[in-house]
Amino acid sequence: MVKEKHWPFKIYPIQFIALGFAGIILFGSVLLTLPIVTKSGQGTPFIDALFTATSATCVTGLTTLTTSEHWNMGGQLIILSMIEIGGLGFMMMPFIFMAIMKRKVGLMTRIILQESLNLDSLSGVMRLMLYIFRFAMGFQLLGALLLAIDFIPAYGLGRGLWYSFFHSISAFCNAGFDLFGDSLVGFQDNAYVLFVISGLIVGGGLGFIVWQDLMNFRKTRKLSLHSKLALTVSLSLLIIGTLVFCISESGGRYLVGNSSPINRFANMLFMSVTARTAGYFSVDYGSVSQAGILFTIVLMFIGGTPGSTAGGLKTTTFGVLLVQTISMLKGRMHAEAFRRTIRPSVVSRALTLFFITLTLCIAVTMLMSVTEVLPRFRGIEYLLFETFSAFGTVGLTMGLTPSLSLMGKILIIGLMYIGRVGILTVGFSLTIRLTKKEQGNYKLPEESVMIG
């Protein structure tokens, strides 16, 4: 264990991660306020620049300004850089620098990398970082090439290539920023683009640890419990989500008009994929049924897999809670899945995460019901959708984002930051000193409490 005095300014690794993301956001905000990065040549108000920088770094996609209309090439490049840094983790940049300069990575940096990747040990941290970099670059390049097949004929060579790379990176990082102005609504009848974007979203949201397990499966012939749980929950949500949207939206007939069956299916599948922290949309969510809106909120809350570019509660957290519930209903004392017993500490952590995150989202929704004005014929789902979208770093909206009040913007900025960095990371970074001072080798007396 690294002693406190070894850290400059007495900063712990978990605090360094929280401050690192905050530093990138503030630096990006300053850059985005400059007049030279806007198409109009006028400076951007700091709160809007801060909102955009937070959304990009936290790979959310909610924007108070239209990316394609407000920012010029320079502004879009800054946003894309923050998306990449935020998606892969800000520690990826110093790692690349050290690798290029062939400098030895010290223990402190390894511990920070371990915390940022949520690993149990330091073993293999550097190999995993190198794998993440290579995998991400390769996946994004492949996505860009596939999108270029459609975009270059439609927009020309230069613009088509820029659109391809921008949307490939944005989709893989689950950011949801677009250069079309209306996300992917213009591609409702283009199943090819929707399928490619869906593949990129799933690829980024599945988690680098899971992909490493899958790549090594031919050699090891086994998957970790983490990967099994993540794959099972992700695939189940994808299938169930598509079926639910097909039923609730009548197969997409009222959302995509007279499109072909394959295009309608692509849109329903896309709704299931993008709700898991991606933020792109091919339909107007103002026209989605109440059942569809409610289920989208559930998917946004669950989010993607730990160790990925996605946010939210996380699939494995939801899976652990589901396993614990099923095991308890079967009369078992421990959570059991795939012939393994999940550690009680993991179950307790999952329950804590679920309670805190749900409470936080509800509390912010209540505050926004005071600070924001609901449009006519809109109920509380209008605010719930925005709140859970921000926390899950999804980026979907029913149209509230551009009209947010100053307090509303601040609340959403806070939610996006917590959703990306992690509520436990933020919480521990604020209380770690107090916790360490209060730790002791004692245990208070036990007593039972009636439940249910």
Side-chain angles (χ1 to χ4, degrees):
M1 183 70 181
V2 179
K3 295 182 180 180
E4 181 177 340
K5 65 179 181 179
H6 288 175
W7 289 93
F9 310 111
K10 296 182 179 180
I11 295 178
Y12 290 91
I14 201 167
Q15 293 173 319
F16 187 85
I17 294 170
L19 291 173
F21 271 99
I24 293 169
I25 290 170
L26 289 176
F27 181 69
S29 302
V30 173
L31 292 179
L32 291 178
T33 58
L34 301 176
I36 58 174
V37 299
T38 64
K39 288 187 175 180
S40 64
Q42 298 178 346
T44 303
F46 181 75
I47 186 63
D48 290 314
L50 177 63
F51 194 99
T52 303
T54 305
S55 184
T57 306
C58 298
V59 289
T60 306
L62 292 173
T63 55
T64 55
L65 303 168
T66 304
T67 306
S68 59
E69 296 178 359
H70 184 80
W71 309 104
N72 60 20
M73 186 72 168
Q76 293 170 10
L77 190 59
I78 292 172
I79 291 172
L80 190 63
S81 300
M82 287 189 289
I83 289 173
E84 191 76 275
I85 293 172
L88 301 185
F90 76 95
M91 284 303 297
M92 183 62 74
M93 299 304 110
F95 168 77
I96 296 173
F97 173 79
M98 290 179 182
I100 293 174
M101 299 300 294
K102 296 183 179 180
R103 293 182 58 182
K104 185 178 180 180
V105 179
L107 178 60
M108 297 180 189
T109 303
R110 290 174 184 268
I111 294 174
I112 295 174
L113 290 172
Q114 176 196 356
E115 291 284 354
S116 65
L117 294 171
N118 199 22
L119 299 175
D120 294 329
S121 68
L122 288 172
S123 177
V125 170
M126 302 312 297
R127 288 195 302 272
L128 179 59
M129 287 295 292
L130 184 60
Y131 165 78
I132 290 174
F133 177 73
R134 289 174 175 174
F135 176 81
M137 294 302 105
F139 211 105
Q140 290 173 140
L141 178 60
L142 176 61
L145 293 176
L146 292 175
L147 289 175
I149 295 174
D150 187 273
F151 287 173
I152 289 179
Y155 301 103
L157 180 60
R159 193 178 177 190
L161 283 175
W162 172 237
Y163 278 18
S164 299
F165 278 99
F166 186 98
H167 294 93
S168 178
I169 294 172
S170 182
F172 178 81
C173 292
N174 283 208
F177 278 81
D178 73 277
L179 300 179
F180 302 114
D182 58 353
S183 195
L184 301 181
V185 174
F187 295 88
Q188 284 182 354
D189 296 326
N190 193 330
Y192 173 79
V193 170
L194 295 181
F195 284 142
V196 172
I197 295 292
S198 295
L200 285 163
I201 293 170
V202 172
L206 195 56
F208 300 113
I209 305 295
V210 177
W211 277 113
Q212 188 179 46
D213 263 7
L214 290 173
M215 296 293 185
N216 295 332
F217 182 75
R218 292 183 62 182
K219 296 180 180 178
T220 62
R221 308 305 296 177
K222 65 179 181 179
L223 295 174
S224 66
L225 178 59
H226 167 82
S227 296
K228 289 179 182 178
L229 196 59
L231 289 168
T232 301
V233 174
S234 298
L235 183 60
S236 298
L237 289 175
L238 181 62
I239 295 173
I240 293 172
T242 304
L243 291 175
V244 168
F245 287 126
C246 282
I247 296 171
S248 67
E249 311 309 317
S250 300
R253 289 184 180 87
Y254 302 110
L255 294 177
V256 294
N258 298 319
S259 295
S260 65
I262 184 64
N263 286 333
R264 289 204 301 270
F265 172 77
N267 281 272
M268 297 303 98
L269 174 67
F270 193 75
M271 288 180 69
S272 181
V273 170
T274 194
R276 303 270 310 291
T277 81
Y280 282 122
F281 58 91
S282 61
V283 300
D284 178 14
Y285 275 86
S287 303
V288 175
S289 67
Q290 292 294 313
I293 291 296
L294 180 59
F295 192 75
T296 300
I297 291 174
V298 173
L299 291 178
M300 291 193 296
F301 181 60
I302 296 174
T305 302
S308 71
T309 60
L313 180 69
K314 300 298 191 298
T315 54
T316 49
T317 306
F318 177 75
V320 167
L321 294 175
L322 192 60
V323 169
Q324 171 66 15
T325 302
I326 295 173
S327 297
M328 184 174 292
L329 291 176
K330 289 182 177 181
R332 296 173 181 170
M333 295 297 294
H334 304 285
E336 300 173 357
F338 302 104
R339 303 179 67 83
R340 292 290 186 273
T341 298
I342 300 174
R343 295 172 184 169
S345 60
V346 174
V347 177
S348 297
R349 188 184 179 96
L351 287 168
T352 302
L353 271 172
F354 177 79
F355 177 77
I356 295 177
T357 53
L358 187 60
T359 302
L360 176 65
C361 290
I362 292 174
V364 172
T365 302
M366 292 177 63
L367 288 173
M368 290 184 64
S369 67
V370 177
T371 63
E372 309 306 310
V373 178
L374 288 174
R376 193 178 180 185
F377 305 120
R378 289 294 182 189
I380 194 68
E381 77 281 353
Y382 195 69
L383 297 176
L384 282 170
F385 198 90
E386 193 82 9
T387 301
F388 279 89
S389 177
F391 167 74
T393 67
V394 180
L396 294 177
T397 180
M398 294 179 70
L400 177 62
T401 311
S403 59
L404 284 171
S405 65
L406 176 61
M407 182 55 64
K409 291 177 182 178
I410 294 174
L411 289 171
I412 294 299
I413 286 172
L415 268 183
M416 290 190 293
Y417 176 75
I418 292 173
R420 180 65 185 97
V421 178
I423 193 165
L424 292 184
T425 300
V426 175
F428 287 158
S429 67
L430 296 175
T431 63
I432 190 169
R433 297 181 189 280
L434 179 63
T435 301
K436 285 185 174 293
K437 288 179 181 179
E438 291 182 347
Q439 281 179 345
N441 296 321
Y442 63 87
K443 178 182 178 182
L444 296 175
E446 293 183 356
E447 187 173 347
S448 180
V449 175
M450 288 187 293
I451 299 294

